[in-house]
Amino acid sequence: MSKTFFITTAIDYTNSPPHIGHAYEKVLADVIARYHRLKGESVFFLTGVDQHGQKVQQSAAKAGVAPAEFVKGLTQQFKDLWKKLDVKYDEWAETISLRHKKVVQGMLQRLFDEGQIYKDKQSGYYSVRQEQFLTDKERGPDGEFGPEWGQVEFREEENYYFKLSRHKEWLLRYLDNHKDAVIPDFRQTELRNAVERIGGDLCISRPKTRLDWGIELPFDKDFVTYVWFDALTNYISFADYDPAASTFNLQPSAFRDRWPALQIIGKDILVPAHGIYWLIMLHAVGFPDEAIPQLLVHGWWNISGTKMSKSLGNVVDPSILADKYSVEAVRYYLMSDIATGRDADFSEERLIERYNADLANNLGNLLNRTLNMAVRYRDGLVKQAGGDSPLAAQVVDLVRSYNAAMTAHEIHAGLEKIGGFVTACNTYIEMAAPWKLAKDPARAEALDHTLFALAESLRVIAILVSPILPKAAHGILYQLNWSNDYALSDAKWGGLPSKHQLGNPVPLFPRIETST
């Protein structure tokens, strides 16, 4: 049985509504999943929401509702947005589910039984935002805790601790032996530097006296699980992981077929959550090195170089953008205007500019011109004539470079290759001048050759663009009167029959007009 490609994203924290950063991450994962499906692979795409934690409990209390009711409303907002943005996941994770609770408690009990969890009293400075105790290593050069920790207060309480530091040397060896454990590579360097600084263990509980919105520790009913230990486990709990299995090889075949995953996360949760806590958690419960997930770390969408934040009032609502400009416009902008792993500045003006230039003026223009000329000069019937078109050789190079970019998760680079070929097709129209060929009966074969080559080029373009713009790809193929059942292997020259009746032209990417 072939291995399933498993892709998962960081689950979204239900303490505030979704923003453009959430949308980027989910669309990126959806594009990668669609690309692998296009290749004919079995795909398991998991996403969902993290619903526990102190901040949720505090926000619910402030809103005057129970935490369960509070997260229910926000959870629906996320699900509605992914449906609107055409994000097709295979499994939905919610950390309040019994399925998830069983896995979290099973892992905790195992670690406790093995002596990897102990109880201790701690006093020190506590970050309310990050929900963790801080050490002097978290202080800045000025001796103060930085703004990334939010409100910091002094606390003293008894809790349970996971022996994180026991696994420090293993994690260093793992990173040294797996140079692509984290993508891009500079994030792996960042992670390794952070691992070198590991000095203590991880507090994995909160007393119910101050937090009762969480998963209860299986070995002490007076405590709930620290939100990160809870949330991170979703990646396996919703993929059929069995905490009762004594070794990885005894896991259900459904889980072993999917795992390990490609996990897409934001740069802010690489250290320490995913890069340290999560990888060590998996190692501690018996995951072999070859079953440790790969982390694809993306950057942030900023506004004028500043991180989006509710307090600054600069958060962008992707649902409003989709309603205003179309889902395809939003998906295209998010995938084309940022290099995976890097930061980018969000600009509504840039969204309009990219859409009008790349989709309306370039791809949309190619589609409209080709079909209109085919209808005007040949009643929509294109016929293969003459030798190979110069566009045929370009398709070979296009598919090769497109696959290289998409395999490397460089979606923007894949779109650049497609865009360059679309431009070449439009240039080909100007050079061939079908409107001149149509006036000369002696040039009938040259006209057929040109129109057929353009229609065949559009078919290939539609297939390649389908992971990013699924609805637009369907629209192109519909106008080409071509089957919507296709695979990446169909993106090669020679797919159209020697005589093929095209459909009627309909503007697919109407320009976005602005008042200025």
Side-chain angles (χ1 to χ4, degrees):
M1 182 172 62
S2 61
K3 187 77 173 174
T4 295
F5 175 75
F6 182 9
I7 182 169
T8 181
T9 68
I11 54 176
D12 299 309
Y13 197 31
T14 50
N15 192 47
S16 58
H19 55 67
I20 200 70
H22 297 122
Y24 168 69
E25 182 175 281
K26 298 307 176 290
V27 172
L28 173 61
D30 181 67
V31 169
I32 294 173
R34 286 178 183 271
Y35 171 69
H36 283 269
R37 293 189 191 109
L38 189 65
K39 290 170 67 177
E41 297 178 20
S42 171
V43 174
F44 181 75
F45 174 16
L46 171 70
T47 192
V49 285
D50 168 17
Q51 298 156 309
H52 288 134
Q54 186 172 343
K55 286 181 283 187
V56 169
Q57 181 173 283
Q58 291 171 340
S59 296
K62 187 176 181 180
V65 298
E69 182 180 348
F70 181 80
V71 299
K72 183 179 180 181
L74 282 169
T75 295
Q76 193 59 51
Q77 288 187 44
F78 282 101
K79 294 180 80 170
D80 290 345
L81 179 60
W82 306 151
K83 183 177 181 181
K84 176 180 286 190
L85 294 182
D86 210 7
V87 173
K88 301 291 187 185
Y89 50 83
D90 298 293
E91 185 66 74
W92 179 255
E94 292 189 16
T95 56
I96 61 173
S97 78
L98 293 177
R99 175 183 182 184
H100 177 68
K101 177 181 176 180
K102 176 183 176 182
V103 174
V104 172
Q105 291 185 325
M107 289 178 63
L108 285 167
Q109 188 66 57
R110 174 174 176 172
L111 292 172
F112 182 76
D113 292 343
E114 293 176 353
Q116 296 201 63
I117 292 177
Y118 62 94
K119 195 175 187 181
D120 197 8
K121 182 175 288 187
Q122 181 177 9
S123 61
Y125 290 95
Y126 182 84
S127 165
V128 177
R129 174 186 293 174
Q130 299 297 338
E131 302 186 32
Q132 69 181 74
F133 280 97
L134 306 177
T135 68
D136 286 340
K137 291 184 178 181
E138 275 83 43
R139 294 181 186 273
D142 59 358
E144 300 295 323
F145 295 108
E148 68 272 17
W149 299 109
Q151 177 187 348
V152 175
E153 58 190 34
F154 188 85
R155 286 184 180 176
E156 182 178 51
E157 65 184 23
E158 197 170 38
N159 271 304
Y160 286 89
Y161 292 82
F162 167 54
K163 295 181 179 179
L164 189 80
S165 56
R166 172 192 286 188
H167 304 281
K168 173 181 176 178
E169 294 306 317
W170 164 80
L171 185 51
L172 288 172
R173 288 195 305 274
Y174 172 77
L175 293 174
D176 289 342
N177 293 332
H178 298 80
K179 299 302 183 183
D180 62 346
V182 183
I183 308 169
D185 56 3
F186 68 88
R187 294 294 180 200
Q188 178 146 337
T189 301
E190 175 187 317
L191 172 58
R192 197 190 187 288
N193 291 337
V195 175
E196 289 276 15
R197 297 193 296 271
I198 293 177
D201 293 333
L202 174 65
C203 179
I204 54 91
S205 71
R206 298 294 183 264
K208 283 187 179 178
T209 52
R210 70 174 174 90
L211 175 65
D212 59 7
W213 180 240
I215 296 177
E216 186 178 281
L217 294 187
F219 43 81
D220 195 329
K221 62 181 179 59
D222 293 329
F223 293 82
V224 296
T225 309
Y226 173 46
V227 68
W228 272 122
F229 206 100
D230 165 4
L232 291 166
T233 305
N234 94 90
Y235 301 122
I236 58 176
S237 64
F238 292 93
D240 293 328
Y241 176 79
D242 180 5
S246 58
T247 67
F248 183 84
N249 288 335
L250 293 178
Q251 284 296 322
S253 59
F255 179 75
R256 286 185 286 109
D257 172 58
R258 294 167 179 160
W259 198 262
L262 172 68
Q263 297 187 204
I264 300 181
I265 61 171
K267 66 177 186 178
D268 55 325
I269 54 175
L270 170 63
V271 177
H274 287 79
I276 297 176
Y277 299 164
W278 179 229
L279 301 190
I280 286 179
M281 284 165 59
L282 292 174
H283 173 69
V285 294
F287 278 59
D289 287 7
E290 61 270 19
I292 300 299
Q294 186 179 45
L295 304 177
L296 173 58
V297 184
H298 64 77
W300 285 340
W301 282 96
N302 300 319
I303 298 286
S304 301
T306 302
K307 182 185 177 184
M308 293 185 193
S309 117
K310 288 187 296 181
S311 59
L312 295 176
N314 62 355
V315 174
V316 176
D317 187 337
S319 183
I320 293 175
L321 281 179
D323 289 339
K324 188 175 181 180
Y325 298 117
S326 81
V327 169
E328 299 295 80
V330 172
R331 286 180 65 104
Y332 183 79
Y333 174 70
L334 291 177
M335 292 299 100
S336 64
D337 217 43
I338 186 172
T340 308
R342 303 288 180 175
D343 289 351
D345 263 351
F346 176 84
S347 164
E348 199 164 332
E349 292 75 19
R350 178 71 172 159
L351 182 155
I352 296 170
E353 177 187 315
R354 292 298 300 258
Y355 173 88
N356 282 341
D358 299 350
L359 298 184
N361 294 352
N362 205 20
L363 179 53
N365 189 39
L366 174 64
L367 179 65
N368 289 336
R369 294 173 83 186
T370 298
L371 268 74
N372 275 308
M373 289 187 297
V375 169
R376 183 180 305 125
Y377 305 138
R378 290 292 186 262
D379 292 324
L381 181 66
V382 293
K383 295 183 290 186
Q384 191 171 15
D388 285 339
S389 167
L391 295 176
Q394 292 188 48
V395 162
V396 174
D397 292 336
L398 166 64
V399 173
R400 182 188 304 115
S401 57
Y402 165 87
N403 279 328
M406 297 295 281
T407 300
H409 317 305
E410 298 289 347
I411 315 303
H412 69 288
L415 281 171
E416 286 177 2
K417 300 301 181 183
I418 296 172
F421 180 65
V422 173
T423 298
C425 290
N426 277 315
T427 301
Y428 177 72
I429 291 176
E430 297 303 319
M431 294 177 63
W435 48 91
K436 294 181 179 178
L437 299 177
K439 296 177 181 178
D440 185 355
R443 308 293 303 278
E445 184 176 284
L447 176 60
D448 286 331
H449 177 84
T450 299
L451 295 176
F452 186 88
L454 292 170
E456 177 68 340
S457 297
L458 279 163
R459 186 189 64 83
V460 172
I461 290 167
I463 293 171
L464 298 184
V465 83
S466 63
I468 302 98
L469 304 175
K471 287 187 173 67
H474 177 77
I476 294 171
L477 293 173
Y478 179 79
Q479 293 187 44
L480 292 176
N481 194 27
W482 184 256
S483 170
N484 205 44
D485 182 18
Y486 52 86
L488 184 60
S489 58
D490 295 315
K492 59 185 177 183
W493 200 264
L496 285 179
S498 57
K499 290 184 179 181
H500 183 68
Q501 182 67 48
L502 301 178
N504 294 318
V506 178
L508 192 60
F509 301 107
R511 280 184 57 84
I512 298 173
E513 302 296 343
T514 60
S515 56
T516 55

